[in-house]
Each structure stands twice: as C-alpha cells, then as structure tokens.
Amino acid sequence: MSPRSASVNEELRRRSRERLLQAAVELVGEHGYEATTLGDIADRAGSARGLVSYYFPGKRQLVQSAVHRLMHRTLEEAVEREPRTEDGRERMARAIDAILRLARDRPVLMRQHMAGLLQAEGFVQCPEQQRLAEVLRDVVARNGAQDVDVDYPLLRSLLMGAVYAMVLPNVPMPITTLRAELFERYRLDWEMGVPPDAEAASGATCETDLSRFFATGEEPGPETGQRRA
C-alpha cells in the first residue's frame, strides 16, 4: 500500500478534530462540564486520548471551540434557510432566534459556555470563534449598520446578555420577553424569523443528532487521495 498523500492526512486530521468537537458538545450537554473528562470526549469521538492535546491546549479551549462551532453552523443554517432572503431585517430576526433557541434548548451547554467566557482568557481565538464573528458581522452589515465595527460588538453583547439571562439557574427569563426586547431594539416585526408561538404550533423539538453541524465531507480514500461517498 502506498503512503497516504499529504492531502489525505490533512483531511483525516480535520475529521478527527471535528469528531472531538462534536463529542465535547454532546457530553457537556448530557452530563455538564465538570463531570465530562477529556478521556470521555476522546472515547466518544473514537480517538486516542493523547490526540486531544494535539489539537487543544485543554478542556476549556476544546469545549469553547465546540460551542462556537455549533453556534456558527446554527446561525448559518438559520439565516440561509429556504426561502432564502437578502432582506437584512429578516436575516437579523433569524440570527436572534437561532441564538435564543440554543439557549432555551441547550441550557447546560450554553451555561458552561458563558462561564468559560468569564474566565481571564475570555474568547478562545480559534477558527470556530472567527467564523461565528464573520457570520454575525455579515448579519449586522446586511441590516444596514453605519459602522459594523461598532454595531457588531453591540449585537454580540446583547445576545450574550440574553443567553445569560436565559440560562441562569432557577430564575431564567422566558424567550418571549428577551425576544421582544431585542426585536424592539432592532425594529423587527414579531412575525419575522421563527416566532416562538409559530415554532410551538409546528411541533418542533430540540434536536439530538448534531452530526450535520460537525460534518466535514466525504471520507478520503486511503490510497488515491480522492474522496469516496
């Protein structure tokens, strides 16, 4: 068997890293941060335990990157869903709804994420965080911001505040109240995006299969470097 090409090795490394991200999101959501070990994550991902430290300095960095991946893929899916639109106000409504639903549906995961951001290191500068910033900046720009460098951090802070309010133990604020405040702030109509009442009427439930948010494409072939289905 001929050695794998550099491109195949790179694809395998990428897939291995993203399996770790998915496993981290799943386990922290199921058991909480403290009860989840790096060994647990490696086992769920089907990876060698020593491989985790190859990609991530520690558990906090891994979990934060994993949540940022889930957030930016969720946002992308929400703003680009059918029927597609270039209406900046509708895209803003979809983005707000996507983040609020994550806080409502995955409070354990998002609570840990907020706690991690309050650590001295703050945001982990990783590809997932950078992509999340790009998506939110695009939403702000399409909504007609005069200065994206000013309005993007404001939107980010408002969303973080709303998430924090929703995941507070014992005294969470309801999604409808926070949505109304944000929609008023950005002059959005209640019917835009995915209103909670319309979502409830459709019977939508929290997804358990998160694989599509972490998919990287088809499996690379072992000898040719080509991808196979």
Side-chain angles (χ1 to χ4, degrees):
M1 180 182 294
S2 59
R4 290 197 297 255
S5 68
S7 62
V8 170
N9 285 330
E10 176 62 27
E11 177 66 10
L12 291 173
R13 284 192 293 268
R14 186 162 66 98
R15 291 180 67 85
S16 178
R17 181 180 185 275
E18 299 203 352
R19 283 195 299 270
L20 291 169
L21 292 173
Q22 181 177 345
V25 161
E26 292 173 348
L27 286 168
V28 172
E30 293 167 10
H31 307 294
Y33 181 79
E34 296 299 333
T36 299
T37 68
L38 289 175
D40 295 332
I41 294 171
D43 290 346
R44 173 70 67 91
S47 300
R49 298 192 178 194
L51 193 61
V52 180
S53 60
Y54 176 80
Y55 295 110
F56 303 98
K59 185 169 73 168
R60 191 180 72 81
Q61 291 84 353
L62 166 55
V63 172
Q64 195 174 127
S65 293
V67 177
H68 280 143
R69 162 56 68 89
L70 178 61
M71 291 176 71
H72 92 66
R73 285 282 181 90
T74 299
L75 273 174
E76 286 176 331
E77 183 175 273
V79 298
E80 300 296 345
R81 67 175 172 81
E82 296 295 339
R84 293 196 73 256
T85 180
E86 298 302 320
D87 183 340
R89 295 174 69 237
E90 171 63 22
R91 293 173 75 89
M92 175 66 78
R94 293 180 182 186
I96 291 171
D97 282 339
I99 297 299
L100 294 184
R101 288 199 306 273
L102 274 177
R104 181 198 63 194
D105 295 343
R106 307 186 190 281
V108 174
L109 183 67
M110 297 305 289
R111 186 179 302 130
Q112 170 51 43
H113 181 60
M114 297 303 297
L117 296 181
L118 293 175
Q119 300 297 313
E121 297 86 351
F123 282 110
V124 171
Q125 297 300 312
C126 59
E128 287 75 24
Q129 187 275 327
Q130 293 166 4
R131 181 58 188 148
L132 175 60
E134 290 170 3
V135 175
L136 281 177
R137 287 179 66 89
D138 181 68
V139 167
V140 168
R142 290 174 184 248
N143 195 46
Q146 296 298 311
D147 188 339
V148 174
D149 289 335
V150 171
D151 290 344
Y152 156 67
L154 178 58
L155 173 61
R156 183 185 64 196
S157 296
L158 289 170
L159 290 173
M160 288 172 64
V163 169
Y164 181 81
M166 290 183 68
V167 301
L168 277 174
N170 303 320
V171 288
M173 289 191 67
I175 188 172
T176 51
T177 301
L178 294 164
R179 186 181 194 265
E181 288 292 323
L182 287 167
F183 271 44
E184 182 178 359
R185 168 67 177 76
Y186 287 100
R187 298 191 175 105
L188 306 174
D189 300 329
W190 184 260
E191 295 74 20
M192 290 180 164
V194 185
D197 48 351
E199 187 182 28
S202 70
T205 58
C206 178
E207 292 183 77
T208 57
D209 182 5
L210 302 177
S211 58
R212 76 176 186 281
F213 296 109
F214 297 90
T216 58
E218 299 166 332
E219 193 73 31
E223 297 183 64
T224 64
Q226 298 178 343
R227 296 184 176 187
R228 62 169 182 261

